[in-house]
mmCIF file of all heavy atoms in Angstrom:
data_model
loop_
_atom_site.group_PDB
_atom_site.id
_atom_site.type_symbol
_atom_site.label_atom_id
_atom_site.label_comp_id
_atom_site.label_asym_id
_atom_site.label_seq_id
_atom_site.Cartn_x
_atom_site.Cartn_y
_atom_site.Cartn_z
ATOM 1 N N GLY D 398 -51.841 -48.132 -54.143
ATOM 2 C CA GLY D 398 -51.026 -49.039 -53.278
ATOM 3 C C GLY D 398 -51.752 -49.627 -52.086
ATOM 4 O O GLY D 398 -52.784 -49.055 -51.696
ATOM 5 N N LEU D 399 -51.327 -50.699 -51.717
ATOM 6 C CA LEU D 399 -51.856 -51.473 -50.492
ATOM 7 C C LEU D 399 -51.600 -50.575 -49.186
ATOM 8 O O LEU D 399 -50.568 -49.933 -49.141
ATOM 9 C CB LEU D 399 -51.341 -52.755 -50.345
ATOM 10 C CG LEU D 399 -51.696 -53.728 -51.516
ATOM 11 C CD1 LEU D 399 -50.825 -55.110 -51.190
ATOM 12 C CD2 LEU D 399 -53.169 -54.082 -51.510
ATOM 13 N N GLY D 400 -52.436 -50.615 -48.250
ATOM 14 C CA GLY D 400 -52.277 -50.168 -46.942
ATOM 15 C C GLY D 400 -51.170 -50.922 -46.249
ATOM 16 O O GLY D 400 -50.780 -52.115 -46.669
ATOM 17 N N GLU D 401 -50.721 -50.450 -45.017
ATOM 18 C CA GLU D 401 -49.539 -51.051 -44.376
ATOM 19 C C GLU D 401 -49.951 -52.406 -43.793
ATOM 20 O O GLU D 401 -49.107 -53.285 -43.769
ATOM 21 C CB GLU D 401 -49.083 -50.211 -43.175
ATOM 22 C CG GLU D 401 -47.792 -50.551 -42.517
ATOM 23 C CD GLU D 401 -47.153 -49.475 -41.700
ATOM 24 O OE1 GLU D 401 -47.305 -48.403 -41.926
ATOM 25 O OE2 GLU D 401 -46.595 -50.025 -40.709
ATOM 26 N N GLU D 402 -51.273 -52.611 -43.475
ATOM 27 C CA GLU D 402 -51.707 -53.831 -42.907
ATOM 28 C C GLU D 402 -51.510 -54.988 -43.957
ATOM 29 O O GLU D 402 -51.108 -56.068 -43.733
ATOM 30 C CB GLU D 402 -53.044 -53.776 -42.290
ATOM 31 C CG GLU D 402 -53.479 -55.053 -41.671
ATOM 32 C CD GLU D 402 -54.845 -54.900 -40.934
ATOM 33 O OE1 GLU D 402 -55.272 -53.760 -40.688
ATOM 34 O OE2 GLU D 402 -55.540 -55.930 -40.678
ATOM 35 N N VAL D 404 -49.713 -54.747 -46.763
ATOM 36 C CA VAL D 404 -48.216 -54.957 -47.047
ATOM 37 C C VAL D 404 -47.692 -55.862 -46.060
ATOM 38 O O VAL D 404 -46.878 -56.769 -46.419
ATOM 39 C CB VAL D 404 -47.639 -53.656 -46.997
ATOM 40 C CG1 VAL D 404 -46.101 -53.841 -47.031
ATOM 41 C CG2 VAL D 404 -48.030 -52.761 -48.354
ATOM 42 N N VAL D 408 -45.554 -59.213 -46.939
ATOM 43 C CA VAL D 408 -44.123 -59.326 -46.520
ATOM 44 C C VAL D 408 -43.911 -60.478 -45.573
ATOM 45 O O VAL D 408 -42.917 -61.340 -45.805
ATOM 46 C CB VAL D 408 -43.703 -58.057 -45.683
ATOM 47 C CG1 VAL D 408 -42.294 -58.292 -45.105
ATOM 48 C CG2 VAL D 408 -43.640 -56.822 -46.752
ATOM 49 N N ASP D 416 -38.471 -55.074 -42.273
ATOM 50 C CA ASP D 416 -39.039 -53.859 -41.859
ATOM 51 C C ASP D 416 -40.303 -53.492 -42.682
ATOM 52 O O ASP D 416 -40.209 -52.966 -43.805
ATOM 53 C CB ASP D 416 -38.091 -52.693 -41.873
ATOM 54 C CG ASP D 416 -38.595 -51.430 -41.140
ATOM 55 O OD1 ASP D 416 -39.808 -51.253 -41.113
ATOM 56 O OD2 ASP D 416 -37.782 -50.652 -40.692
ATOM 57 N N VAL D 417 -41.524 -53.764 -42.249
ATOM 58 C CA VAL D 417 -42.718 -53.573 -42.965
ATOM 59 C C VAL D 417 -42.903 -52.096 -43.249
ATOM 60 O O VAL D 417 -43.297 -51.730 -44.408
ATOM 61 C CB VAL D 417 -43.931 -54.188 -42.285
ATOM 62 C CG1 VAL D 417 -45.215 -53.833 -42.973
ATOM 63 C CG2 VAL D 417 -43.818 -55.723 -42.111
ATOM 64 N N ARG D 418 -42.651 -51.273 -42.415
ATOM 65 C CA ARG D 418 -42.943 -49.760 -42.528
ATOM 66 C C ARG D 418 -41.917 -49.268 -43.652
ATOM 67 O O ARG D 418 -42.334 -48.524 -44.608
ATOM 68 C CB ARG D 418 -42.682 -49.054 -41.352
ATOM 69 C CG ARG D 418 -43.010 -47.581 -41.388
ATOM 70 C CD ARG D 418 -43.170 -46.930 -40.030
ATOM 71 N NE ARG D 418 -44.216 -47.516 -39.301
ATOM 72 C CZ ARG D 418 -44.516 -47.091 -38.044
ATOM 73 N NH1 ARG D 418 -43.816 -46.216 -37.365
ATOM 74 N NH2 ARG D 418 -45.574 -47.701 -37.443
ATOM 75 N N ALA D 419 -40.757 -49.773 -43.588
ATOM 76 C CA ALA D 419 -39.706 -49.226 -44.644
ATOM 77 C C ALA D 419 -40.066 -49.841 -46.027
ATOM 78 O O ALA D 419 -40.141 -49.106 -47.076
ATOM 79 C CB ALA D 419 -38.379 -49.798 -44.301
ATOM 80 N N ILE D 420 -40.557 -51.021 -46.144
ATOM 81 C CA ILE D 420 -40.984 -51.669 -47.401
ATOM 82 C C ILE D 420 -42.224 -50.935 -47.930
ATOM 83 O O ILE D 420 -42.310 -50.575 -49.182
ATOM 84 C CB ILE D 420 -41.208 -53.177 -47.257
ATOM 85 C CG1 ILE D 420 -39.847 -53.860 -47.134
ATOM 86 C CG2 ILE D 420 -41.960 -53.638 -48.452
ATOM 87 C CD1 ILE D 420 -39.962 -55.337 -46.847
ATOM 88 N N HIS D 421 -43.079 -50.644 -46.963
ATOM 89 C CA HIS D 421 -44.320 -49.893 -47.425
ATOM 90 C C HIS D 421 -43.970 -48.535 -48.006
ATOM 91 O O HIS D 421 -44.540 -48.145 -48.987
ATOM 92 C CB HIS D 421 -45.303 -49.760 -46.251
ATOM 93 C CG HIS D 421 -46.582 -49.100 -46.577
ATOM 94 N ND1 HIS D 421 -46.856 -47.868 -46.067
ATOM 95 C CD2 HIS D 421 -47.665 -49.415 -47.329
ATOM 96 C CE1 HIS D 421 -48.118 -47.432 -46.661
ATOM 97 N NE2 HIS D 421 -48.554 -48.516 -47.388
ATOM 98 N N GLU D 422 -43.117 -47.860 -47.320
ATOM 99 C CA GLU D 422 -42.638 -46.578 -47.808
ATOM 100 C C GLU D 422 -41.923 -46.746 -49.145
ATOM 101 O O GLU D 422 -42.201 -45.839 -50.090
ATOM 102 C CB GLU D 422 -41.773 -45.976 -46.802
ATOM 103 C CG GLU D 422 -41.057 -44.637 -47.129
ATOM 104 C CD GLU D 422 -42.022 -43.462 -47.355
ATOM 105 O OE1 GLU D 422 -43.209 -43.435 -46.996
ATOM 106 O OE2 GLU D 422 -41.665 -42.547 -48.182
ATOM 107 N N ARG D 423 -41.085 -47.644 -49.284
ATOM 108 C CA ARG D 423 -40.230 -47.630 -50.574
ATOM 109 C C ARG D 423 -41.120 -48.195 -51.769
ATOM 110 O O ARG D 423 -40.822 -47.780 -52.843
ATOM 111 C CB ARG D 423 -39.002 -48.545 -50.389
ATOM 112 C CG ARG D 423 -37.841 -47.925 -49.660
ATOM 113 C CD ARG D 423 -36.603 -48.611 -49.633
ATOM 114 N NE ARG D 423 -36.040 -48.919 -50.924
ATOM 115 C CZ ARG D 423 -35.396 -48.099 -51.712
ATOM 116 N NH1 ARG D 423 -35.417 -46.729 -51.419
ATOM 117 N NH2 ARG D 423 -34.865 -48.500 -52.926
ATOM 118 N N SER D 424 -41.973 -48.978 -51.414
ATOM 119 C CA SER D 424 -42.881 -49.597 -52.594
ATOM 120 C C SER D 424 -44.032 -48.785 -52.935
ATOM 121 O O SER D 424 -44.717 -48.978 -53.929
ATOM 122 C CB SER D 424 -43.253 -51.024 -52.131
ATOM 123 O OG SER D 424 -44.159 -50.972 -50.997
ATOM 124 N N GLY D 425 -44.471 -47.890 -51.881
ATOM 125 C CA GLY D 425 -45.711 -47.232 -52.179
ATOM 126 C C GLY D 425 -46.956 -48.130 -52.179
ATOM 127 O O GLY D 425 -47.959 -47.830 -52.638
ATOM 128 N N GLY D 426 -46.733 -49.379 -51.555
ATOM 129 C CA GLY D 426 -47.816 -50.353 -51.536
ATOM 130 C C GLY D 426 -48.026 -51.204 -52.757
ATOM 131 O O GLY D 426 -48.977 -52.049 -52.801
ATOM 132 N N ASN D 427 -47.223 -50.947 -53.829
ATOM 133 C CA ASN D 427 -47.253 -51.722 -54.973
ATOM 134 C C ASN D 427 -47.028 -53.104 -54.741
ATOM 135 O O ASN D 427 -45.897 -53.409 -54.330
ATOM 136 C CB ASN D 427 -46.316 -51.134 -56.096
ATOM 137 C CG ASN D 427 -46.415 -51.875 -57.361
ATOM 138 O OD1 ASN D 427 -46.169 -53.079 -57.456
ATOM 139 N ND2 ASN D 427 -46.807 -51.176 -58.368
ATOM 140 N N VAL D 431 -43.474 -54.763 -53.382
ATOM 141 C CA VAL D 431 -43.520 -55.230 -52.034
ATOM 142 C C VAL D 431 -42.862 -56.631 -51.905
ATOM 143 O O VAL D 431 -41.929 -56.905 -51.142
ATOM 144 C CB VAL D 431 -44.939 -55.299 -51.440
ATOM 145 C CG1 VAL D 431 -44.891 -56.115 -50.148
ATOM 146 C CG2 VAL D 431 -45.449 -53.936 -51.150
ATOM 147 N N LEU D 434 -39.149 -56.549 -52.797
ATOM 148 C CA LEU D 434 -38.333 -55.993 -51.607
ATOM 149 C C LEU D 434 -38.249 -57.006 -50.570
ATOM 150 O O LEU D 434 -37.122 -57.227 -50.024
ATOM 151 C CB LEU D 434 -38.946 -54.804 -51.199
ATOM 152 C CG LEU D 434 -38.625 -53.494 -51.992
ATOM 153 C CD1 LEU D 434 -39.476 -52.380 -51.488
ATOM 154 C CD2 LEU D 434 -37.106 -53.083 -51.831
#
Side-chain angles (χ1 to χ4, degrees):
L399 295 172
E401 192 168 327
E402 186 175 340
V404 167
V408 170
D416 186 335
V417 171
R418 183 167 296 178
I420 289 178
H421 182 251
E422 171 65 23
R423 278 188 65 69
S424 68
N427 181 297
V431 168
L434 280 169

